[in-house]
Amino acid sequence: MKVPLLDLKAQYAAIKPDLDAVVAEVMVSQQFILGPQVEACERAIAQYSRCAFGVGVSSGTDALIICLMAEGIGPGDEVITSPYTFFATAGSIARVGARPVFVDINPATYNLDVAQVEARITPRTRAIIPVHLYGQMADMEALMPIAQKHQLVVIEDAAQAIGAEHHGRRAGSIGHYGCFSFFPSKNLGAAGDAGMVVTQDAARAGKLACLRMHGSQAKYYHQVIGGNFRLDALQAAVVRAKLRYLDAWTAARQRNAERYHRLFTEAGLPLAGSGEYRARAGDASVLFLPDVATDRHIFNQYVIRTPRRDALRAALQARDIGTEIYYPVPLHLQECFAYLGGRPGTLPESEKAARETLALPIYPELSEAQARQVVQSITEFMSAS
Ligand SMILES: *Cc1c(COP(=O)(O)O)cnc(C)c1O
């Protein structure tokens, strides 16, 4: 039995009439650029993430870039973020000419270790971009007072965390901006590239709306230099149609995570939670499972950990089980960031996570039989070697 990492065809099969209808509606309207579909999607996502405003943009990457532009962040400025994330988080900082400053992660959650943030703040620091990795929020409650004290802007990279909660508050609603990606493999995926910025601040929302249209409010009159960062009407329609299913999909992902936990426990494997990692680092006899440290983890990824990761991945591949490594090279060691002077050993938790973590299939349609196959294959590998 094949177990893919993600099965978008199964999702489409379940909601085909809905999606086909909204796509047809946009085609009939021939309104492709902004307009009612985009506005309705902005209202729906803002409401879902408990924010006052949503501004649809062309991707999650552009969501990050446009927030940095709106704050006038550029050459000479520093922005603190995590080195253990998708490239776009730090790539956007560099794209506007600012300098990414990496702070190591807490291995319990794989998110920014907030305790290390303040030591990296300098007079040049303008913003912090916490990432809510794998669908679990960073410790915003600890981070916001630090940002306030130093008057820094907080841009939440919530690309993997739509609907996640931390002390009852939703991803994207706590910082000055929240950035979502609707890349097809995210929990809420479009039929192509798409993204959104949410904010509680009317002035900031206005600035974003202006920047995404070449910096113009009235057509052909340009107050500032922006770009084409618009959300496509077709994508907006697809995203809004799929939003109605998001809570059910999230619940299915959470059930799948609980099922993995139960099956691994039943298999009798030596297990530990990611929260115990610091105490047991490098222990090859134990399999580390993800701990849920916040109130609503939406499991964009279910990530396990073992020092024997590469051999385990090969064994699973041989059995037609799809896995992925998020992410094999921490950003401070990427070739394109060599000019920042990052060296191996400087951000040890990110570097160890890059060597040891593995994402298993967790998508909503994953069956019990498929999950059993994954757990059985991992159990055989862990017991044999
Ligand atoms: C997917 C992702 C992005 C970028 O989103 P795109 O829509 O692909 O541009 C940014 N940050 C994180 C953490 C992501 O997972």
Side-chain angles (χ1 to χ4, degrees):
M1 177 183 17
K2 199 177 154 111
V3 190
L5 182 67
L6 176 65
D7 188 357
L8 287 175
K9 286 184 179 171
Q11 184 194 74
Y12 179 54
I15 60 170
K16 185 175 188 310
D18 274 17
L19 284 194
D20 291 357
V22 298
V23 169
E25 199 183 309
V26 176
M27 293 311 284
V28 167
S29 79
Q30 289 291 298
Q31 163 101 47
F32 298 122
I33 305 297
L34 300 181
Q37 290 288 357
V38 172
E39 286 163 24
C41 182
E42 289 172 338
R43 280 194 301 272
I45 297 293
Q47 186 184 23
Y48 186 78
S49 37
R50 300 180 196 146
C51 285
F53 303 95
V55 180
V57 293
S58 28
S59 69
T61 305
D62 287 341
L64 292 163
I65 289 177
I66 204 173
C67 294
L68 293 162
M69 288 172 74
E71 293 298 322
I73 292 171
D77 297 330
E78 295 177 356
V79 178
I80 290 173
T81 194
S82 166
Y84 189 64
T85 172
F86 178 59
F87 176 76
T89 315
S92 324
I93 299 168
R95 275 279 307 280
V96 299
R99 189 179 176 86
V101 173
F102 297 114
V103 168
D104 210 358
I105 56 164
N106 178 344
T109 60
Y110 302 106
N111 284 326
L112 211 52
D113 186 353
V114 176
Q116 297 188 44
V117 166
E118 204 157 16
R120 304 301 311 276
I121 294 173
T122 75
R124 291 171 182 269
T125 310
R126 293 282 317 279
I128 306 174
I129 307 186
V131 183
H132 307 317
L133 203 69
Y134 303 149
Q136 173 158 254
M137 286 178 71
D139 189 353
M140 296 301 290
E141 201 154 75
L143 186 68
M144 289 310 291
I146 297 170
Q148 264 145 20
K149 181 173 152 196
H150 296 273
Q151 295 185 319
L152 305 177
V153 174
V154 175
I155 302 166
E156 294 178 57
D157 183 340
Q160 300 184 8
I162 189 161
E165 289 177 17
H166 179 62
H167 297 290
R169 297 170 76 190
R170 288 232 154 147
S173 72
I174 303 176
H176 300 89
Y177 302 90
C179 295
F180 295 120
S181 164
F182 305 122
F183 186 80
S185 67
K186 311 293 185 187
N187 286 27
L188 179 61
D193 281 308
M196 193 169 295
V197 183
V198 289
T199 178
Q200 310 286 16
D201 182 333
R204 285 190 162 105
K207 225 176 207 176
L208 295 170
C210 177
L211 280 167
R212 79 169 163 188
M213 285 262 287
H214 298 290
S216 71
Q217 261 148 2
K219 218 174 182 181
Y220 308 128
Y221 292 82
H222 301 267
Q223 290 80 38
V224 291
I225 300 170
N228 177 356
F229 297 115
R230 290 182 299 253
L231 171 63
D232 191 281
L234 260 174
Q235 301 303 342
V238 168
V239 166
R240 187 160 63 98
K242 287 172 78 168
L243 178 62
R244 293 199 280 121
Y245 300 95
L246 183 59
D247 283 337
W249 290 335
T250 297
R253 285 172 180 270
Q254 291 166 336
R255 280 197 301 275
N256 289 345
E258 281 161 23
R259 182 161 63 198
Y260 271 139
H261 201 105
R262 176 170 53 78
L263 293 174
F264 278 123
T265 306
E266 283 169 12
L269 273 180
L271 301 173
S274 51
E276 296 170 72
Y277 181 77
R278 279 196 211 264
R280 307 184 66 172
D283 187 341
S285 71
V286 71
L287 186 71
F288 291 94
L289 302 183
D291 273 337
V292 177
T294 58
D295 6 349
R296 193 170 192 245
H297 189 325
I298 64 155
F299 285 102
N300 177 243
Q301 302 297 343
Y302 183 91
V303 174
I304 62 167
R305 176 167 196 164
T306 164
R308 293 185 282 164
R309 189 266 314 270
D310 292 335
L312 172 60
R313 184 170 197 222
L316 294 176
Q317 199 159 16
R319 292 176 174 221
D320 256 348
I321 295 171
T323 61
E324 190 52 270
I325 297 168
Y326 301 107
Y327 295 89
V329 181
L331 299 183
H332 66 294
L333 301 181
Q334 291 286 352
E335 191 181 339
C336 68
F337 286 140
Y339 71 95
L340 295 172
R343 272 184 310 279
T346 51
L347 299 167
E349 291 301 343
S350 300
E351 293 167 33
K352 280 187 282 179
R355 285 195 294 269
E356 298 182 350
T357 60
L358 190 65
L360 303 181
I362 189 73
Y363 60 93
E365 298 81 6
L366 186 78
S367 71
E368 165 102 25
Q370 287 174 310
R372 282 184 183 278
Q373 167 124 349
V374 172
V375 170
Q376 194 189 334
S377 303
I378 293 174
T379 305
E380 281 167 25
F381 172 87
M382 294 291 289
S383 322
S385 36

